[in-house]
Amino acid sequence: MVSAKTVPAKGIVFFTHMASKSTTFPFSFSMASYFIRSSTIRLGIFISTLAIAAILVFQLVWLRKIYNKEQKEFDRSVIIAVKGVYEKMAVSNYNSSYLNELIESPEMHLYLARITLPVNKDSLASYVQNELEDFDIFTDCYLGIYSAGENKYIYTTILKSAATRGKHLSTIPVVTRPYDHIVLYFPNRRQYILSKMDFWIISSAVLLVVLILFGGGLYYFYRQKFLNETQKDFIHNFTHEFKTPVSVISLAADVLKNPAIIEKPDKLATYAGIVEYQAAYLQSQTEKLLNFAYTESRQLHFTKERVNIHEVVNEAVSNLAPLIEERKAKIILDLYAEDPFLMANKDYLTIVIINLLDNAVKYSKQPEIKVTTTRTEDRMILSVKDNGIGIEKKQLKKVFKKFFRIRKEDTYTSKGFGLGLSFVKKIVAAHGGKIKVESVLGKGSNFTIELPLE
C-alpha cells in the first residue's frame, strides 16, 4: 500500500455520481443505432474486395480463353488456306485429304507443308497470299521453299500485309526435314491475335479502372465515416468529461455561497475539497488535450538525460496517491533492475508510467498492480500488470489508437478521451523503444515497455 495525503473522497464520489446521472443522454445511443457504423462499412469493403478480386480473376481467365480460341482459329485458318493451295495448284503428289500428315507446326509462329518440287514460285506466293486473305489472316507472312536435296531454301519472300506495323526480318527460321516443303512463318502472330482482341482488352481495362475507382470511393467513404464517428465520439466524451465536474463545482459553489456554511467548518472544508478535486481533474484533462494537440502538430523534441527509472516509478506512484487511496489500490513494486539508469527524458517518462498506472487503477474493481523493472545488455524493460477487467482480443490491437476507449457491449468501461495510450506509444517511439500489451478478458492486462539504454 502506498500512503498519501487523502482528499474528502466521500463528498467527491457522491457528487460525481449524482452529476453523472443528471447529464446522461439516454437517447444518444438509440439515435446512433439508426446510422451505419464504420465497422459495417469496413465489412462491406472486405466483401467488395473479395468480389472485385473474383471479378478480376474471372476476367483474366476469360481473356485467356478468348486468346486460346483466337490462336486455334488462326491455326485452323492457316491449314484451310494451305488446303486451298493444294487444291488450286499441283504442288504435291501426296493425298491432300490427309492434311494432318502433310502440315505440321513445330513452333507457334511456324507451319510446314509437304510439296513436290519443282513448283512455280511466283504462282505459289500469289496463291498463298490470296488464300490467307480469303480467311482473314492480315499479317505479314514469310514464305520459303525448302529443298531437301539441296538442304537449303531455294526461294524466300515476304507476303506483306497493310495491317501489320511490325518490323520485317531478313531471314526465316531454317527447319530441316527429309522431304521438300514450304515454310509459312508469321513473326507478328501474337500481336495480330491481340489486335483482334482489342475490344475485349479495352473493355476489361475499363472495367478494371471502374472497379479501382469504386474501391477507392468506398474506402474514402469509409475513412470519412470513421473520422466522423471519431469526431462525434470525441465531442460526446469531451462534453461528458467536462460537464460532470463543472456541474459538481456549480453545486458546490451554490452551497459555499450560503452564509450559514461559515458556521459549519467541516462542511466548508468538504465542499472546498470538492472544488479543488474537480478543478484538478479539469486541469489534468485539459493538459492531456494540450499535450496531445502539441504532439499531433509536430514531432516530439526533447533532451535526454541520465534518469533513474526507479525514481521515476516512485514519483509516478506518489503523483497518483489520491486516486490510489480512493480506490484502495495495492501497488507492488518489483524493481529488479540492478542498474536502473538509462538515457531518457524524465518528464515524458513520468507521463508514460502515470498513464499506465492510472489505467490499471481505473479498470480494476479491487486494484492490485505490479510494476516490474528488468534490464538486458542494451534495454530497460518496464512492465505494469493489473488484475482488471482485461481487454477483448478484437479490441487489443486498437488500444493504442487515438480516441479509442474499451467498450463493454455498447458502453464505455471508463471515463476519458481515449488519448492516454496513444500518447504513451508516441513517447515510447520517440525514445526509440516499443510497447506491447497482453491481456486476458476478466483477469487483467500486462503492458510491457522496452527502452534503449543509450
Side-chain angles (χ1 to χ4, degrees):
M1 287 289 292
V2 177
S3 61
K5 182 179 179 181
T6 60
V7 187
K10 291 184 178 180
I12 295 167
V13 173
F14 172 76
F15 277 103
T16 303
H17 180 70
M18 292 298 291
S20 297
K21 284 188 175 182
S22 64
T23 57
T24 301
F25 300 96
F27 55 84
S28 60
F29 293 105
S30 62
M31 289 179 64
S33 64
Y34 288 101
F35 297 96
I36 301 175
R37 296 204 50 94
S38 59
S39 57
T40 306
I41 298 176
R42 187 168 62 246
L43 177 62
I45 291 176
F46 176 73
I47 295 173
S48 300
T49 302
L50 292 180
I52 290 172
I55 292 172
L56 292 178
V57 170
F58 174 79
Q59 193 76 3
L60 290 174
V61 171
W62 182 61
L63 285 174
R64 182 67 181 176
K65 286 184 176 181
I66 292 178
Y67 180 74
N68 291 335
K69 182 181 177 182
E70 290 290 340
Q71 288 199 99
K72 291 179 180 178
E73 184 65 24
F74 188 92
D75 292 338
R76 192 179 73 85
S77 297
V78 171
I79 291 172
I80 295 176
V82 172
K83 182 181 178 181
V85 174
Y86 277 143
E87 292 174 349
K88 294 177 180 179
M89 289 186 67
V91 295
S92 175
N93 295 330
Y94 302 101
N95 188 350
S96 61
S97 300
Y98 299 99
L99 288 177
N100 291 337
E101 297 178 3
L102 300 180
I103 302 174
E104 64 172 305
S105 178
E107 297 178 13
M108 184 174 64
H109 304 274
L110 203 63
Y111 300 87
L112 309 181
R114 295 191 183 201
I115 62 171
T116 303
L117 294 176
V119 295
N120 188 315
K121 301 170 184 176
D122 294 332
S123 296
L124 178 64
S126 177
Y127 274 113
V128 169
Q129 185 159 21
N130 290 336
E131 288 296 322
L132 291 176
E133 290 178 353
D134 286 345
F135 289 95
D136 297 330
I137 299 178
F138 297 100
T139 182
D140 288 349
C141 174
Y142 286 61
L143 172 65
I145 300 177
Y146 181 84
S147 172
E150 299 182 33
N151 196 25
K152 66 177 182 179
Y153 285 113
I154 60 174
Y155 175 77
T156 59
T157 186
I158 299 176
L159 308 179
K160 296 181 180 180
S161 173
T164 302
R165 297 291 183 267
K167 295 181 179 180
H168 299 299
L169 301 176
S170 57
T171 60
I172 61 176
V174 177
V175 183
T176 60
R177 290 291 186 272
Y179 50 81
D180 300 329
H181 60 271
I182 61 173
V183 175
L184 300 180
Y185 177 59
F186 300 91
N188 302 314
R189 169 187 158 132
R190 179 180 287 109
Q191 294 90 324
Y192 172 70
I193 292 176
L194 290 175
S195 68
K196 295 185 69 175
M197 296 172 57
D198 280 349
F199 173 77
W200 306 111
I201 294 173
I202 292 173
S203 62
S204 298
V206 170
L207 177 61
L208 176 62
V209 172
V210 169
L211 290 175
I212 291 174
L213 292 176
F214 171 75
L218 197 59
Y219 178 74
Y220 177 77
F221 178 66
Y222 160 72
R223 288 293 301 167
Q224 292 302 311
K225 183 68 176 176
F226 175 76
L227 292 174
N228 185 44
E229 284 182 8
T230 302
Q231 185 183 42
K232 285 183 177 179
D233 286 344
F234 175 76
I235 293 173
H236 175 77
N237 296 339
F238 183 89
T239 305
H240 180 74
E241 290 297 307
F242 277 60
K243 198 163 188 176
T244 298
V246 168
S247 299
V248 172
I249 291 173
S250 178
L251 291 172
D254 289 339
V255 175
L256 292 174
K257 285 193 298 183
N258 190 341
I261 194 71
I262 299 176
E263 300 174 1
K264 300 176 181 178
D266 292 340
K267 194 173 183 180
L268 178 63
T270 298
Y271 281 93
I274 292 172
V275 173
E276 181 183 13
Y277 180 87
Q278 297 295 348
Y281 176 78
L282 282 173
Q283 183 179 2
S284 172
Q285 296 294 68
T286 302
E287 286 178 355
K288 282 185 179 180
L289 288 174
L290 291 175
N291 285 333
F292 180 78
Y294 178 82
T295 55
E296 280 296 286
S297 62
R298 66 198 75 190
Q299 293 294 324
L300 287 177
H301 296 286
F302 51 76
T303 56
K304 292 183 179 180
E305 58 184 339
R306 187 172 166 83
V307 176
N308 186 329
I309 194 169
H310 294 170
E311 290 182 358
V312 177
V313 170
N314 285 309
E315 185 176 329
V317 171
S318 178
N319 288 340
L320 289 173
L323 178 63
I324 293 171
E325 186 70 24
E326 178 188 346
R327 297 297 305 277
K328 295 182 173 56
K330 183 180 180 182
I331 308 294
I332 302 170
L333 301 180
D334 291 338
L335 309 180
Y336 295 133
E338 293 182 2
D339 184 0
F341 290 94
L342 74 158
M343 295 301 294
N345 183 274
K346 183 178 180 181
D347 294 333
Y348 278 115
L349 198 54
T350 304
I351 291 173
V352 168
I353 299 173
I354 286 177
N355 271 281
L356 294 180
L357 290 174
D358 184 56
N359 283 343
V361 173
K362 288 193 299 184
Y363 289 102
S364 304
K365 293 182 179 179
Q366 296 177 336
E368 183 173 314
I369 299 142
K370 181 183 288 187
V371 182
T372 306
T373 60
T374 55
R375 177 188 168 116
T376 63
E377 290 184 1
D378 61 344
R379 290 193 170 258
M380 183 70 68
I381 302 172
L382 169 76
S383 70
V384 178
K385 186 177 182 180
D386 63 60
N387 63 338
I389 60 174
I391 306 170
E392 288 184 276
K393 190 175 181 179
K394 64 181 180 180
Q395 300 189 75
L396 204 57
K397 296 180 180 179
K398 304 177 184 178
V399 294
F400 297 109
K401 290 185 177 181
K402 293 181 293 185
F403 307 116
F404 177 78
R405 294 196 297 157
I406 298 173
R407 288 177 179 267
K408 190 173 182 181
E409 296 179 351
D410 290 332
T411 59
Y412 292 110
T413 56
S414 182
K415 300 191 297 180
F417 296 109
L419 301 176
L421 289 178
S422 173
F423 191 34
V424 164
K425 184 176 182 180
K426 191 157 190 174
I427 294 174
V428 171
H431 279 80
K434 57 184 179 180
I435 181 171
K436 63 180 181 179
V437 57
E438 299 171 340
S439 186
V440 178
L441 193 63
K443 293 186 178 180
S445 305
N446 184 23
F447 287 83
T448 304
I449 295 175
E450 295 184 15
L451 295 171
L453 297 177
E454 299 294 339

